[in-house]
Amino acid sequence: MKFRFQRKYLCIPYFLFLILFVIIPIFFIVYYAFTDGNGAFSFDSLVEFFTTTNKINVLVQSLLFSTLNTIICLVIGYPIAYILANKKYNSNYVIVLLFVMPMWINFVLRTGATRDVLTWLGVNGGTSPYFATMLGLVYNYLPFVILPLYTTMLKLDKSQIEAAIDLGCNRVQVFTKSIIPQSIPGVIAAAQMVFMPTMSSYVIPETLSEGKIVLFGNSIYLGFANNQWNSSSFMAVIMLVIIGISMLITRNFTEKDTSEEDAAW
Amino acid sequence: MENNYIIELKNVSKIFDDDTVAVDNFNLYVRKGEFITFLGPSGCGKSTTLRMIAGFDFPSKGEILLNGKDISNLPPNKRPINMVFQRYALFSHLDVYDNIAFGLRLKKIPVVKKDKNGNPILKIDHKKIWDLKREYNLIKRNKHLSEEEKEPKLNDLQSKIDYYKTTPVQSYSYAKLSSKEIDQKVARALKIVDLEALEDRDISTLSGGQQQRVAIARAIVNEPEILLLDEPLGALDLKMRKDMQLELKEMHSKLGITFIYVTHDQEEALTMSDTVVVMKDGVIQQIGTPKMIYDEPKNAFVADFIGESNIYNGTMIGNKKVRFLDFNFDCLDDYPLNEKVDVVVRPEDIHFVKDGKEMIKGKIVNQIFKGMNYQYTIMIGKNEVMVKSTENYPVGSEANLTIEPDGIHIMKKDFTTNVYTDAWINKNNEVMIDESAFSCDVTQLVPGSSLDEEGNVVSKDGKHKYNFNDADVVAEIALDKIEVIDDIESENCEVVGEVVDSIYVGDHYRYIVRTENEEDFVFVSPYSYNLNDKVGIAVKKEDIKLRLKKEVAEYEI
């Protein structure tokens, strides 16, 4: 039989990639998470994780860092994005580029440089590990917040803002009642870009706190480095579960948003 | 001063930052309860005017009075005026009920603060001072007002600020509407726009027409004194638009509030309004009732824009007699003998008659079925005539037509010649119009004179010599004496400009060409040019008529 090319064959490479680098690794993670050293099915890792205070502490600390980082990035990034998207203050793309440019530099190098600058300023991992790590996290993830917020701000419906003023809003009310609700999709996207990567970040706390602060990512890495494949895999599963939960939460918002856009067309 | 004008615009102009004049010296008053429409092509300044009334733009010059009080520099949220936006601008994150209740929830009802004995508490009103200072700065920064114009206003504001700074006034606390009151008002608004069952629906699930109704409900629920509507029906399909027109009209009479409506659709304007304001290039062309505007258009632009019309060049040939289409018609308007005029005839005012009874004869070249009637294009000589009739005549047949005197509308011509009052003569004896030199015949300034070798004008008897270098003159060029050159690179062009206006006048077009320096050249041509076409202009030496501004003797040497 003669081979006939069909369009659906184009997705074969993608599927191969997906199976090789996503499905199979996840299968391995789950496999290791629920087996013991001899390959027999067991809940040892689960029990170990939830009974070791140290590991629970790392999880809680990571969640705290992630939440705080997300909030700080949003608080700083939101006004910046708003100003950048406003033609009155920024008539060209150059300033946006300045804010986004750090994203293009390898973040290991960037973090190394940050550490040197901080040391030079007298703030280093030795003296204030929490502050140094937080600063590094915010600095690294700020562009990821600004970019989605900026695109959302560009699409703000000017006439809705005018309608709000027309109906009696003063400047503050315009902001809280029209601009913020309109930019919620951007806020969600930005939060997603920051929250989970911070949880699993490894280089930043490692470098900036000089190993004093251990986040979930560091902890997983250390486990694998010490050949604790089963317990580390279980921590990776925890990570997957948290990603799943956060996606479920944010989906409610984004779904509503896309349906609105569809209806508008 | 007691009058029932709800809003007055006095000499209002709007000049944007890039120096474009959007609205030029706009004067209008609106009576309470009136339905007034701003009508004009896009870019005519109608929306800008509306936005100034709403408060989104502040006038560069002039005043806007609401019930006699100047509100020119008040922000939109402090005006008792609400607007229905072009694309509705509904809040997509709120449902129907919350959209409509939006304004009500923001509303604050002032309550006089009283002490224990029931006497009002007096306080320095810092908010009022702040508002006045804001207005003060706004006027101070306005670069379109001269210092002399600013001074009285600023002094007035400063004295007010000083007064409020030293004099305590009654203070108020503010109460919000209760949710029960809001409920009632929203329900009433929903009833007015016929959307009673939809209050819980999401905006995105509504059809265009329903969104339109929500937008109207959201505005009227605040009981504004004036409702502004910025092309609100533009996004609806034809049938829906017709229905909404009638409904809006009905709402207007039910609510009794003043409607100011903006549209470019002349039919919409005529159907709905009590008064129509026709605008072009930021200038009011005509204000009147729809019937007045249709029957008695003030100029060719209005006639052309409102309804379909035939426009011709005519000449007055006697008392209430006008000649056009090579026939002498009786008419009702009286203009001086031999005056060149624009004649406007509506297609439905031209009638087919039996052979022998006609005034004019033509040949039918085109017929279009329009549902209600047929629209014919008839050639009379080289003029096109548009006629509407319910009877069916074959294309190619002869048409016998009459026009009754009341169907002929005569308007003073906008332009019969181009007049340039600030022209001058350069040392080469060329006339400078708009910084371009046109060769001209300077000897016409001294009858019978001639030019000598040095470029001086020598009188007929040789006794007087004149040098007209730098002389200020008025130059006149007849419309039909301007030559148009399509190739703007050609060296024959004396000046190059852009076609900014064109009106079809029977057998030819009348164009306005505007140069870079904003000088206009009006010319007539049988050929068709598009708006924004670049064309070159040349004028024959003998076709430029010159008139000195000063006495001839001043230039004698």
Side-chain angles (χ1 to χ4, degrees):
Chain A
M1 207 175 78
K2 215 183 139 205
F3 173 79
R4 270 195 62 202
F5 181 79
Q6 283 178 301
R7 206 158 19 161
K8 63 182 173 193
Y9 297 150
L10 283 175
C11 61
I12 287 176
Y14 175 70
F15 268 111
L16 284 176
F17 180 88
L18 200 68
I19 289 165
L20 265 175
F21 295 107
V22 181
I23 308 284
I24 294 179
I26 287 183
F27 172 78
F28 274 118
I29 288 174
V30 175
Y31 168 80
Y32 278 113
F34 294 101
T35 49
D36 58 18
N38 305 321
F41 178 78
S42 89
F43 283 118
D44 287 355
S45 310
L46 187 142
V47 175
E48 191 210 331
F49 181 81
F50 286 106
T51 48
T52 319
T53 5
N54 193 17
K55 288 188 174 173
I56 297 286
N57 280 345
V58 168
L59 178 65
V60 173
Q61 175 165 297
S62 304
L63 283 171
L64 283 177
F65 263 99
S66 295
T67 316
L68 200 59
N69 188 27
T70 313
I71 292 169
I72 295 175
C73 281
L74 282 174
V75 167
I76 299 174
Y78 194 93
I80 293 176
Y82 182 71
I83 290 167
L84 289 182
N86 196 329
K87 289 234 163 51
K88 214 160 85 184
Y89 307 113
N90 174 34
S91 49
N92 55 39
Y93 194 66
V94 176
I95 305 174
V96 183
L97 277 184
L98 280 178
F99 275 98
V100 175
M101 217 146 56
M103 273 169 82
W104 299 339
I105 299 162
N106 182 290
F107 85 107
V108 179
L109 292 177
R110 215 181 337 150
T111 309
T114 314
R115 182 190 53 194
D116 293 344
V117 171
L118 286 181
T119 315
W120 180 67
L121 287 172
V123 185
N124 58 33
T127 53
S128 42
Y130 285 92
F131 179 75
T133 307
M134 205 61 239
L135 200 81
L137 286 171
V138 170
Y139 168 62
N140 260 283
Y141 286 102
L142 200 55
F144 293 94
V145 168
I146 291 176
L147 210 56
L149 281 175
Y150 171 74
T151 26
T152 318
M153 299 283 187
L154 281 182
K155 288 190 293 185
L156 284 185
D157 183 356
K158 293 261 159 23
S159 62
Q160 276 191 42
I161 295 170
E162 285 191 342
I165 302 172
D166 186 58
L167 292 167
C169 283
N170 59 32
R171 283 168 189 217
V172 179
Q173 287 166 325
V174 168
F175 190 71
T176 56
K177 287 177 191 287
S178 182
I179 295 174
I180 290 187
Q182 278 194 65
S183 57
I184 283 294
V187 173
I188 302 275
Q192 263 178 331
M193 300 278 269
V194 176
F195 188 78
M196 287 320 293
T198 312
M199 281 278 306
S200 60
S201 64
Y202 154 68
V203 174
I204 300 168
E206 175 74 26
T207 318
L208 290 175
S209 74
E210 291 172 6
K212 289 202 178 76
I213 288 175
V214 180
L215 293 190
F216 216 54
N218 305 66
S219 170
I220 294 172
Y221 168 78
L222 281 174
F224 279 112
N226 294 332
N227 267 332
Q228 299 165 340
W229 282 61
N230 302 94
S231 60
S232 300
S233 294
F234 186 77
M235 286 199 276
V237 169
I238 296 275
M239 195 93 181
L240 281 175
V241 171
I242 295 173
I243 292 177
I245 293 172
S246 75
M247 279 173 77
L248 271 180
I249 295 170
T250 50
R251 208 177 61 173
N252 286 332
F253 292 94
T254 37
E255 230 173 37
K256 197 179 162 198
D257 178 54
T258 46
S259 71
E260 269 163 20
E261 264 166 33
D262 288 346
W265 289 109
Chain B
M1 191 174 66
E2 194 57 40
N3 56 33
N4 56 351
Y5 302 151
I6 186 155
I7 195 156
E8 285 169 88
L9 287 89
K10 286 187 175 169
N11 308 321
V12 168
S13 295
K14 178 72 193 175
I15 303 154
F16 284 114
D17 290 342
D18 56 351
D19 283 341
T20 46
V21 181
V23 177
D24 195 10
N25 202 13
F26 196 97
N27 279 290
L28 178 76
Y29 54 83
V30 182
R31 285 190 200 84
K32 218 179 178 102
E34 201 170 338
F35 194 130
I36 192 159
T37 302
F38 298 162
L39 175 66
S42 58
C44 73
K46 53 190 194 305
S47 284
T48 309
T49 311
L50 197 75
R51 289 173 61 82
M52 283 194 284
I53 297 173
F56 295 119
D57 284 326
F58 298 126
S60 310
K61 284 179 187 171
E63 314 187 293
I64 298 173
L65 305 180
L66 180 77
N67 294 322
K69 264 175 74 182
D70 188 5
I71 56 158
S72 314
N73 293 310
L74 223 53
N77 52 340
K78 300 212 167 125
R79 301 187 185 196
I81 296 172
N82 285 111
M83 182 146 161
V84 178
F85 289 82
Q86 210 161 15
R87 300 216 163 262
Y88 321 141
L90 296 172
F91 303 117
S92 44
H93 58 283
L94 301 174
D95 67 11
V96 171
Y97 181 95
D98 289 333
N99 259 285
I100 298 173
F102 193 91
L104 295 175
R105 288 186 176 140
L106 291 167
K107 206 169 213 158
K108 290 174 180 166
I109 305 141
V111 187
V112 179
K113 272 190 190 163
K114 285 182 178 167
D115 61 13
K116 279 175 278 179
N117 308 324
N119 297 321
I121 299 171
L122 298 181
K123 264 188 189 167
I124 298 286
D125 192 343
H126 292 286
K127 209 166 168 305
K128 178 94 189 171
I129 295 170
W130 198 85
D131 284 345
L132 286 168
K133 277 188 179 162
R134 191 192 133 274
E135 202 177 324
Y136 184 92
N137 287 328
L138 213 72
I139 292 175
K140 203 172 176 187
R141 280 200 301 266
N142 186 333
K143 57 176 186 233
H144 302 293
L145 289 174
S146 67
E147 290 301 321
E148 294 87 69
E149 285 172 301
K150 279 180 189 177
E151 215 182 290
K153 290 186 184 188
L154 291 178
N155 287 341
D156 183 41
L157 281 169
Q158 188 58 52
S159 64
K160 270 189 195 165
I161 293 172
D162 293 340
Y163 171 80
Y164 281 107
K165 268 184 178 167
T166 50
T167 321
V169 289
Q170 255 185 32
S171 61
Y172 296 92
S173 58
Y174 294 92
K176 294 216 163 195
L177 287 171
S178 71
S179 62
K180 208 174 135 198
E181 282 171 299
I182 293 177
D183 263 351
Q184 284 171 353
K185 288 187 183 215
V186 171
R188 210 181 311 145
L190 280 167
K191 196 165 175 231
I192 291 170
V193 298
D194 258 337
L195 281 181
E196 281 123 316
L198 297 179
E199 55 180 26
D200 296 328
R201 289 272 290 275
D202 242 14
I203 293 302
S204 54
T205 64
L206 300 181
S207 70
Q210 289 167 330
Q211 292 193 17
Q212 174 62 70
R213 285 158 197 266
V214 176
I216 294 169
R218 185 178 68 175
I220 60 174
V221 79
N222 303 298
E223 293 156 19
E225 292 192 43
I226 301 173
L227 183 68
L228 308 175
L229 302 108
D230 187 6
E231 307 214 15
L233 308 182
L236 301 179
D237 62 57
L238 185 68
K239 189 159 175 352
M240 188 94 99
R241 201 153 67 214
K242 299 256 179 221
D243 292 346
M244 275 310 283
Q245 283 174 14
L246 296 177
E247 266 186 65
L248 270 175
K249 185 87 190 130
E250 214 169 283
M251 262 179 232
H252 172 248
S253 55
K254 243 193 276 179
L255 293 166
I257 40 184
T258 312
F259 277 39
I260 302 181
Y261 193 96
V262 158
T263 183
H264 61 264
D265 182 339
Q266 42 103 2
E267 201 190 318
E268 206 165 279
L270 298 183
T271 315
M272 299 166 71
S273 336
D274 298 325
T275 306
V276 179
V277 179
V278 186
M279 292 178 69
K280 182 200 176 197
D281 295 340
V283 178
I284 297 179
Q285 302 292 312
Q286 189 171 3
I287 305 177
T289 62
K291 194 165 163 43
M292 254 169 68
I293 291 209
Y294 188 85
D295 289 343
E296 295 294 331
K298 235 182 189 165
N299 56 39
F301 170 79
V302 178
D304 195 45
F305 195 73
I306 311 283
E308 287 159 304
S309 42
N310 298 292
I311 304 175
Y312 304 104
N313 285 325
T315 312
M316 298 307 292
I317 49 155
N319 188 17
K320 299 191 178 175
K321 270 185 183 299
V322 61
R323 180 174 180 82
F324 63 98
L325 294 175
D326 294 331
F327 187 83
N328 302 337
F329 291 92
D330 288 321
C331 62
L332 301 177
D333 304 280
D334 204 3
Y335 281 91
L337 191 67
N338 287 329
E339 175 105 0
K340 295 274 182 202
V341 289
D342 279 326
V343 180
V344 173
V345 187
R346 299 285 182 194
E348 60 270 23
D349 287 334
I350 305 178
H351 308 288
F352 284 94
V353 287
K354 280 195 200 105
D355 198 8
K357 297 206 164 173
E358 81 279 357
M359 292 176 173
I360 39 179
K361 254 183 190 310
K363 196 177 173 198
I364 300 176
V365 294
N366 192 10
Q367 180 205 48
I368 301 165
F369 182 59
K370 287 270 185 179
M372 288 277 290
N373 49 29
Y374 295 94
Q375 181 185 308
Y376 296 96
T377 309
I378 296 164
M379 292 305 289
I380 298 174
K382 56 187 173 57
N383 285 300
E384 263 180 27
V385 183
M386 195 203 298
V387 183
K388 277 184 183 163
S389 168
T390 49
E391 286 156 75
N392 186 2
Y393 299 98
V395 172
S397 66
E398 193 138 278
N400 304 302
L401 305 169
T402 60
I403 308 172
E404 296 299 317
D406 62 359
I408 296 173
H409 308 293
I410 293 176
M411 285 147 230
K412 207 170 155 56
K413 237 186 189 335
D414 287 349
F415 307 100
T416 45
T417 48
N418 292 289
V419 182
Y420 303 100
T421 50
D422 46 11
W424 50 282
I425 291 176
N426 68 9
K427 60 178 190 293
N428 301 324
N429 279 332
E430 293 168 304
V431 62
M432 299 295 290
I433 300 170
D434 158 48
E435 290 169 43
S436 6
F438 290 79
S439 48
C440 65
D441 181 12
V442 287
T443 57
Q444 62 176 294
L445 294 169
V446 184
S449 62
S450 57
L451 275 178
D452 69 9
E453 282 151 13
E454 287 137 357
N456 296 325
V457 175
V458 184
S459 66
K460 201 176 176 182
D461 51 13
K463 280 181 186 161
H464 302 281
K465 260 191 180 180
Y466 302 95
N467 187 335
F468 289 113
N469 188 12
D470 271 337
D472 289 323
V473 292
V474 176
E476 278 189 42
I477 309 167
L479 301 192
D480 50 354
K481 300 295 189 203
I482 289 181
E483 278 180 55
V484 180
I485 300 159
D486 293 352
D487 176 16
I488 57 169
E489 310 285 48
S490 155
E491 54 179 61
N492 293 331
C493 297
E494 287 173 299
V495 63
V496 173
E498 196 173 284
V499 178
V500 294
D501 191 17
S502 80
I503 290 179
Y504 186 62
V505 206
D507 60 340
H508 60 266
Y509 294 88
R510 187 169 68 219
Y511 297 100
I512 300 177
V513 169
R514 187 163 293 166
T515 64
E516 263 180 14
N517 300 320
E518 299 262 1
E519 198 68 75
D520 285 352
F521 291 88
V522 185
F523 68 93
V524 290
S525 163
Y527 304 112
S528 147
Y529 295 93
N530 292 325
L531 286 185
N532 304 328
D533 275 356
K534 285 244 189 283
V535 294
I537 282 174
V539 189
K540 283 206 191 80
K541 206 174 170 178
E542 61 271 24
D543 289 328
I544 301 182
K545 299 239 174 338
L546 301 172
R547 199 172 69 232
L548 280 173
K549 282 194 182 165
K550 291 182 192 152
E551 289 298 307
V552 149
E554 297 217 9
Y555 302 100
E556 188 166 352
I557 45 172

